[in-house]
Amino acid sequence: VRSGCFADFVGRHVDLTTTERAALLRLEDRVRPLRRGAVLLRANDRTTDLFMLRRGVMMSYVLLDDGSRQILRFHFAGDLLGMSALALRASPETLSAMTEAEVCAVDRMQLNQLAVDHPRLATALMALDQLDRLALTDRLTALGRSSARSRVAALLVDIRQRMRAVDDTITDRFTLGLTQEEVGDATGLTAVHVNRMLRQLEDEGLIARENGQVTVVDETSLMRAANFVDHGRNVDLNWLPAGR
Amino acid sequence: VRSGCFADFVGRHVDLTTTERAALLRLEDRVRPLRRGAVLLRANDRTTDLFMLRRGVMMSYVLLDDGSRQILRFHFAGDLLGMSALALRASPETLSAMTEAEVCAVDRMQLNQLAVDHPRLATALMALDQLDRLALTDRLTALGRSSARSRVAALLVDIRQRMRAVDDTITDRFTLGLTQEEVGDATGLTAVHVNRMLRQLEDEGLIARENGQVTVVDETSLMRAANFVDHGRNVDLNWLPAGR
DNA sequence: CGTTATGTTGAGTTTATTCAATAACCGTGG
DNA sequence: CCACGGTTATTGAATAAACTCAACATAACG
């Protein structure tokens, strides 16, 4: 029996009891594989499901009337997807797979049940969901108040950070796995300008690139360019009551 | 005995039982008045409290190293503030009062207790908090993928919408209550450019302005300029179980 | 092996910023 | 009530940042 990646994610921050772990594991019931490029949920689709990303990389985005796209968030294993639709009849955003992926569908009824059986898990979920919000406000701040160079740097740093959380063999070199078009849609830039910024970061000696792989050469400067603040170290859920 | 504004806010979406309403009302215990301009919580402050905004307008923002500011969100009566710090040792953002205001501090322990006593309220909270997230992704999209004119229009529409939710006497005229500097910090523009965009919207006949009051003249065009999508109509919490 | 998607680079244009000067407004104390 | 300093708003001119268009190179893929 494999351990649940969502349980692992929560367990990284909370000491789970055996029954709690079992309850979370039970959520990872309806597994569903996704091909690269597959759309799991389209904006305005009605749904009553949340999803837990078990394997692979996904993204959520919205499309505007004029055809442009804003990528809101990249998702990695352990992430809870589709929370944004929780209070709505229909999803406000599209979820699609950027690599082969595996998700588990969780019905809202299961969430209701979880809240009854394990109140502190419901609270933990609410709290951990704030980390997702935090990523959004970080990006919002980057879009509103920093240069193209800085935004691209921030994206690189962010993605490396998230990949490391999943796979700790990654250090200074990683596979970005995004086209420059996608980097642009995440950072609010055109693909052309993303290209120039990447080149600039390379020329400045902050990063190196070879066939899709990015290497962080000057970490300090890159972090500074990115305006990086590591919230990860500040996570604290010790105020949660003891588990059942 | 006045009814709680937070209970009212939740009650707008969920049919609350008497005990539930009482439980929410109990949260509005420690009332605290704030002067205009007062900082309730500074970024990096340690805190174990959430806050419910009972009266007035507040904002949350972050300051960057270079001194620039990104306003993340404006808050109106009924809003739950400081959720972003829920999983953290310290708050990632600053909360300050834009008008005279009144907040109620809610300790995390009260939240723990609420989850035990009223599991469905905890779930409702989690769901309603997604509406806050939605506002952030809307703004993120505006910053990433739309023009200055559009962003300013969006801010006007958004604020009017939120003011109407609190005070239904407001129709096409309202008091913005923001300096152009603040509009800039929210929309990622300079104050100077905000001024030009406001003027442009005025010249185009979409709005009118006189001493701090904004009047929506051509609602249709303004909405279109703002890329407005009304999520309010899509809120649905009927999947919640019956209350205790 | 062609076809399509992606990446790269230059030149010219648009958008928004910066700097600077002036005007209107606001609260405070005389 | 008015004078005053500080904040906010307005406008113009010059600058900088990012975008568009276009051409070409390279990689990915059936």
Side-chain angles (χ1 to χ4, degrees), chain B residues 13 20 32 40 66 75 77 102 124 126 160 180 217 232:
Chain B
H13 303 290
E20 283 177 333
R32 186 165 150 191
L40 174 57
D66 66 355
H75 303 282
E102 243 176 58
M126 182 169 7
R160 184 180 73 137
Q180 294 180 359
V217 176

Side-chain angles (χ1 to χ4, degrees), chain A residues 142-183:
Chain A
L143 291 199
R145 286 294 180 227
S146 64
S147 67
R149 172 172 173 273
S150 174
R151 285 185 243 171
V152 171
L155 190 79
L156 294 179
V157 169
D158 181 38
I159 289 196
R160 185 179 72 136
Q161 196 76 354
R162 304 223 50 205
M163 283 186 166
R164 279 215 286 203
V166 176
D167 172 3
D168 50 12
T169 66
I170 295 171
T171 53
D172 58 339
R173 166 171 310 199
F174 64 102
T175 307
L176 187 53
L178 304 180
T179 65
Q180 296 180 357
E181 179 92 41
E182 287 164 341
V183 174

Side-chain angles (χ1 to χ4, degrees), chain A:
Chain A
V1 172
R2 74 197 296 183
S3 74
C5 60
F6 184 62
D8 287 349
F9 170 67
V10 177
R12 212 172 296 148
H13 301 290
V14 186
D15 273 327
L16 296 173
T17 65
T18 316
T19 46
E20 283 177 334
R21 184 167 284 277
L24 288 177
L25 215 52
R26 221 166 13 244
L27 297 180
E28 292 190 44
D29 200 10
R30 294 151 52 201
V31 182
R32 187 166 151 190
L34 294 172
R35 290 174 203 292
R36 182 175 138 84
V39 171
L40 174 57
L41 185 62
R42 206 173 299 274
N44 301 318
D45 277 359
R46 283 166 178 263
T47 183
T48 60
D49 280 336
L50 302 175
F51 303 95
M52 286 172 350
L53 181 51
R54 189 193 255 271
R55 196 171 53 75
V57 181
M58 298 190 64
M59 63 176 171
S60 51
Y61 62 84
V62 293
L63 293 172
L64 280 75
D65 297 337
D66 66 356
S68 60
R69 170 176 71 170
Q70 177 65 49
I71 296 179
L72 300 172
R73 194 96 170 76
F74 297 107
H75 304 281
F76 296 85
D79 283 8
L80 200 53
L81 316 183
M83 284 288 279
S84 55
L86 202 55
L88 300 175
R89 248 179 290 278
S91 170
E93 45 194 78
T94 302
L95 283 171
S96 88
M98 308 193 64
T99 65
E100 299 281 305
E102 243 176 59
V103 296
C104 305
V106 181
D107 192 87
R108 287 167 179 174
M109 295 309 141
Q110 293 177 267
L111 196 63
N112 282 332
Q113 195 56 52
L114 186 74
V116 172
D117 296 342
H118 298 282
R120 84 152 186 165
L121 283 186
T123 312
L125 239 65
M126 183 172 1
L128 288 172
D129 186 48
Q130 299 303 320
L131 298 181
D132 195 71
R133 180 203 147 106
L134 198 50
L136 287 174
T137 56
D138 281 350
R139 172 125 48 183
L140 179 60
T141 304
L143 291 199
R145 286 294 180 227
S146 64
S147 67
R149 172 172 173 273
S150 174
R151 285 185 243 171
V152 171
L155 190 79
L156 294 179
V157 169
D158 181 38
I159 289 196
R160 185 179 72 136
Q161 196 76 354
R162 304 223 50 205
M163 283 186 166
R164 279 215 286 203
V166 176
D167 172 3
D168 50 12
T169 66
I170 295 171
T171 53
D172 58 339
R173 166 171 310 199
F174 64 102
T175 307
L176 187 53
L178 304 180
T179 65
Q180 296 180 357
E181 179 92 41
E182 287 164 341
V183 174
D185 285 345
T187 53
L189 302 167
T190 59
V192 173
H193 205 55
V194 167
N195 183 288
R196 291 194 230 271
M197 293 302 106
L198 285 172
R199 160 143 306 285
Q200 189 185 332
L201 290 173
E202 194 171 23
D203 290 347
E204 292 171 340
L206 306 198
I207 61 169
R209 295 178 299 157
E210 54 262 324
N211 38 292
Q213 294 251 312
V214 176
T215 309
V216 176
V217 176
D218 182 348
E219 177 148 14
T220 313
S221 302
L222 188 66
M223 293 295 197
R224 187 169 42 234
N227 250 254
F228 181 70
V229 274
D230 187 6
H231 300 293
R233 312 213 170 287
N234 276 324
V235 177
D236 174 21
L237 291 179
N238 289 321
W239 52 274
L240 288 172
R244 289 181 188 169

Side-chain angles (χ1 to χ4, degrees), chain B residues 21-235:
Chain B
R21 184 168 283 276
L24 289 177
L25 216 51
R26 221 164 13 244
L27 297 180
E28 292 190 45
D29 200 9
R30 291 152 53 203
V31 183
R32 186 165 150 191
L34 294 172
R35 288 175 203 292
R36 182 175 140 84
V39 172
L40 174 57
L41 186 62
R42 204 172 301 273
N44 302 315
D45 277 359
R46 284 166 177 263
T47 183
T48 60
D49 280 336
L50 303 174
F51 302 94
M52 289 172 347
L53 181 50
R54 186 192 257 271
R55 195 171 53 77
V57 182
M58 297 189 65
M59 63 176 170
S60 52
Y61 61 84
V62 291
L63 294 172
L64 281 76
D65 296 336
D66 66 355
S68 59
R69 170 177 70 171
Q70 177 65 48
I71 295 177
L72 301 171
R73 194 97 170 76
F74 297 106
H75 303 282
F76 295 84
D79 282 9
L80 201 52
L81 315 183
M83 285 289 279
S84 56
L86 202 54
L88 300 175
R89 246 180 292 278
S91 170
E93 43 192 79
T94 301
L95 284 172
S96 87
M98 307 194 64
T99 64
E100 299 281 304
E102 243 176 58
V103 296
C104 306
V106 181
D107 192 86
R108 287 167 179 174
M109 296 310 140
Q110 293 177 268
L111 196 64
N112 282 332
Q113 194 56 49
L114 186 75
V116 173
D117 296 342
H118 297 282
R120 84 152 187 165
L121 284 186
T123 312
L125 240 63
M126 182 169 7
L128 289 173
D129 186 47
Q130 299 303 321
L131 298 181
D132 194 69
R133 179 203 149 105
L134 198 51
L136 286 175
T137 58
D138 282 350
R139 172 121 54 173
L140 179 60
T141 304
L143 291 199
R145 286 294 181 229
S146 63
S147 67
R149 172 172 173 275
S150 173
R151 286 185 242 169
V152 171
L155 190 79
L156 293 179
V157 169
D158 180 38
I159 290 197
R160 184 180 73 137
Q161 197 76 354
R162 304 223 50 207
M163 284 187 165
R164 278 213 286 203
V166 176
D167 172 3
D168 51 12
T169 65
I170 295 171
T171 54
D172 59 339
R173 165 170 313 199
F174 64 102
T175 306
L176 187 53
L178 304 181
T179 65
Q180 294 180 359
E181 179 91 42
E182 286 164 341
V183 174
D185 285 345
T187 55
L189 301 167
T190 58
V192 173
H193 205 52
V194 167
N195 182 285
R196 291 194 228 273
M197 292 303 106
L198 285 171
R199 160 145 305 285
Q200 190 185 332
L201 291 173
E202 193 171 23
D203 289 347
E204 291 171 342
L206 305 198
I207 60 169
R209 295 179 297 159
E210 56 261 323
N211 38 292
Q213 295 250 314
V214 175
T215 309
V216 176
V217 176
D218 181 348
E219 178 148 12
T220 312
S221 303
L222 188 66
M223 293 295 198
R224 187 169 42 235
N227 250 255
F228 182 70
V229 275
D230 188 5
H231 300 293
R233 312 214 169 286
N234 276 323
V235 177

